[in-house]
Amino acid sequence: MIHEILPVGALQCNCSVLGDELSREAIVVDPGDDIGEIVKILQRHGLTAKMIVITHAHIDHIGGAHKLRALTGAPVYMNEDDSFLADNLTVQAGWLGVQPPENPGIDTPANEGDTLRIGSMEAHVLHTPGHTPGSISLYLPLEQKVIGGDTLFRNSIGRTDLPGGDTGKIGQSIRGKLYVLPDETVVIPGHGDSTTIGREKKLNPFVRG
Ligand SMILES: [Zn+2]
């Protein structure tokens, strides 16, 4: 599988481009900004975007989704519990002092238990609320990777002081949905360096396994 991680925008959100080498189809996760750079990655690998997946509707993760869909035609997958955040992108843009991007809306709701497939690659949707009510993580069992959005970071967890945040729920999500994955699973967080489930279970100062 092709996997490129590109930190995008002022908040350096980790955008993932997941490509199937045979079908040349791709999933783009969290195209928050820098859509030109994301399109260049797709072109460099000869990939066609088939799905745009939003881990949660904070502006740094969703900001470029409308533009990327306009360029590629790929539908937007997101959990409906975050619609209220997508609906207030103007307010979120105000927090950052940037122009509000267009709300892409949801083409296909992403729910716990859904499996997204491109070629031989499969990504399981885990509903991991807490940072936001509709936060999801994408588990790629064959690749032993999980793309966790802003739920679990190396040595940290997502903030829960923004609208819809819930400290109890983020702990439940991490323990119940992420720490149950194999220890060697690589975590690609929404920001910063990758880690593993085993490492965070042992060393994460906020949620121990
Ligand atoms: Zn966030």
Side-chain angles (χ1 to χ4, degrees):
M1 189 190 72
I2 297 160
H3 186 184
E4 296 255 6
I5 301 168
L6 176 71
V8 295
L11 297 179
Q12 295 284 280
C13 161
N14 284 328
C15 169
S16 276
V17 176
L18 305 166
D20 177 64
E21 278 149 324
L22 265 181
S23 66
R24 310 314 286 188
E25 294 175 339
I27 299 177
V28 180
V29 185
D30 286 352
D33 203 348
D34 300 329
I35 298 306
E37 295 303 310
I38 294 168
V39 169
K40 269 188 215 161
I41 290 174
L42 291 168
Q43 287 171 344
R44 177 151 45 84
H45 291 288
L47 294 169
T48 302
K50 288 287 168 190
M51 302 174 198
I52 297 166
V53 178
I54 308 299
T55 61
H56 65 289
H58 282 154
I59 188 168
D60 51 324
H61 295 257
I62 197 177
H66 184 273
K67 195 170 170 186
L68 185 62
R69 181 179 52 198
L71 289 170
T72 63
V76 172
Y77 289 67
M78 192 177 88
N79 187 276
E80 286 174 325
D81 291 351
D82 264 16
S83 290
F84 77 103
L85 289 168
D87 289 340
N88 84 353
L89 281 170
T90 308
V91 175
Q92 295 191 51
W95 297 342
L96 298 181
V98 298
Q99 286 294 316
E102 268 194 76
N103 179 0
I106 299 175
D107 296 306
T108 308
N111 293 310
E112 172 75 27
D114 288 351
T115 301
L116 312 180
R117 286 194 176 82
I118 50 162
S120 58
M121 194 199 79
E122 54 180 61
H124 297 189
V125 175
L126 309 175
H127 184 212
T128 47
H131 176 61
T132 66
S135 282
I136 59 169
S137 300
L138 277 190
Y139 177 47
L140 286 63
L142 302 174
E143 310 295 328
Q144 297 196 305
K145 286 181 180 177
V146 65
I147 298 173
D150 287 359
T151 299
L152 179 64
F153 297 112
R154 184 181 174 92
N155 294 329
S156 190
I157 63 172
R159 58 190 289 187
T160 53
D161 59 325
L162 295 170
D166 187 316
T167 310
K169 280 188 182 158
I170 201 169
Q172 284 170 13
S173 291
I174 291 170
R175 288 205 175 85
K177 302 277 180 75
L178 299 180
Y179 283 0
V180 295
L181 300 175
D183 278 353
E184 57 273 21
T185 307
V186 173
V187 182
I188 297 98
H191 303 269
D193 294 334
S194 296
T195 182
T196 63
I197 292 293
R199 184 191 183 281
E200 294 315 304
K201 276 162 74 173
K202 223 186 292 169
L203 299 174
N204 192 290
F206 296 93
V207 181
R208 288 287 164 90

